[in-house]
Amino acid sequence: MPIPEEVTGDEIDKDVRQELQSLPKTLAEDVARNLVMVARLLDEDPEAAYGYSRVALRLASRVAAVREAAGFAAYASQKYSEALAEFRAARRMTGSVELWPVMADCERGLGRPEKALDMAGTPEVHKLDKAGQVEMRLVAAGARRDLGQLDAAIVTLQSPELASSSVQPWTARLRYAYADALLAAGREQEAREWFAKAVESDRDGSTDASDRLAELDGVDFVDALDEGEDEAGGDRETTSVQDEADGDKDGDKD
């Protein structure tokens, strides 16, 4: 697959670069450039990222960072069985538990929420850092929702991290998941409060909490093109329309 000339491979993390030192120099550079492309495209074009990850995997399947990158590319492309296999391989190579939450979420993707819940109760979870433990909580709550256990999902998300006023990288997603679970359970007023709290903490726009909040407030923003304007001076205006809120809206996987 083509790689832009400006991509040198030096853009990768220091730890990954160190792993690649076990390879011949030219091969290490090729693998690094493909890993850079995976990272760049993972969010905007998962299928393209997956393609680059497969190239890297063919070149260096015995490097843990490559297996992990291949796992995340497959995960983003909803190839959960393949992602789980790659994450397991990376974990065997490193002995690290940091991939445990995303491995559990792969089980959800494969339609095995019970397995995800089993993983949430293992000793590995206690070895995770705070971010990993919050991620595991999100996955477990999602598994509860998969099983139709809304009240249990809400209880699962209730934690010191949720109650804390401190804003951490995971805060917006945790508050959003809690609001979404409340809404699914019919607790609309509480859901509104938590969507508002999610908006307050969502500094990088990682959720659509503001849209969900507007929806609950009965506000819909519509882009309308004024047909009366000629082509040379046609302006696009934005109109705010007040409507009744449209009930529950399914959120993304927690």
Side-chain angles (χ1 to χ4, degrees):
M1 298 180 69
I3 298 177
E5 290 184 5
E6 66 268 18
V7 175
T8 65
D10 292 336
E11 301 89 342
I12 61 173
D13 292 341
K14 180 178 66 175
D15 291 343
V16 177
R17 189 180 302 114
Q18 193 168 12
E19 278 194 67
L20 296 179
Q21 287 179 355
S22 62
L23 303 174
K25 183 178 179 181
T26 301
L27 179 59
E29 290 174 353
D30 288 343
V31 173
R33 295 181 74 212
N34 277 281
L35 292 181
V36 170
M37 295 305 296
V38 173
R40 285 189 175 185
L41 296 170
L42 195 61
D43 292 330
E44 63 184 58
D45 191 347
E47 288 297 332
Y50 176 77
Y52 284 105
S53 76
R54 300 307 296 177
V55 175
L57 197 57
R58 287 197 299 271
L59 295 173
S61 63
R62 296 186 179 182
V63 176
V66 171
R67 303 303 290 264
E68 183 174 329
F72 277 110
Y75 177 78
S77 302
Q78 299 184 8
K79 297 175 175 66
Y80 297 117
S81 181
E82 188 173 325
L84 186 57
E86 296 301 340
F87 289 142
R88 284 173 174 167
R91 182 168 182 267
R92 284 195 301 270
M93 292 175 178
T94 64
S96 171
V97 298
E98 66 178 12
L99 294 172
W100 200 249
V102 72
M103 289 168 64
D105 206 39
C106 285
E107 296 288 1
R108 285 186 63 208
L110 290 168
R112 300 193 293 248
E114 298 92 345
K115 178 62 176 176
L117 289 173
D118 288 343
M119 293 178 68
T122 60
E124 282 81 357
V125 175
H126 301 294
K127 300 175 184 177
L128 294 168
D129 61 13
K130 182 61 68 177
Q133 290 178 6
V134 171
E135 195 65 34
M136 193 72 244
R137 191 176 291 276
L138 288 167
V139 173
R144 291 293 184 190
R145 292 190 63 173
D146 294 343
L147 293 167
Q149 300 171 0
L150 288 176
D151 290 340
I154 291 169
V155 171
T156 298
L157 292 168
Q158 292 170 344
S159 62
E161 293 80 18
L162 180 69
S164 174
S165 59
S166 173
V167 175
Q168 302 294 334
W170 61 76
T171 301
R173 291 179 59 239
L174 183 59
R175 292 176 176 178
Y176 182 95
Y178 188 58
D180 194 53
L182 288 168
L183 187 60
R187 295 161 61 175
E188 185 172 306
Q189 185 54 43
E190 292 173 87
R192 190 206 173 281
E193 293 172 4
W194 281 97
F195 276 127
K197 291 180 179 181
V199 170
E200 292 173 2
S201 57
D202 194 359
R203 295 169 177 171
D204 58 0
S206 62
T207 74
D208 64 347
S210 59
D211 293 337
R212 301 293 297 278
L213 184 60
E215 179 182 288
L216 286 173
D217 286 342
V219 179
D220 187 20
F221 297 97
V222 180
D223 286 335
L225 181 63
D226 186 352
E227 295 180 357
E229 295 286 342
D230 58 52
E231 291 184 5
D235 294 322
R236 184 177 298 274
E237 41 179 284
T238 302
T239 306
S240 176
V241 180
Q242 182 96 21
D243 287 315
E244 290 187 5
D246 190 28
D248 189 12
K249 173 184 176 182
D250 289 337
D252 292 333
K253 190 178 291 182
D254 297 322

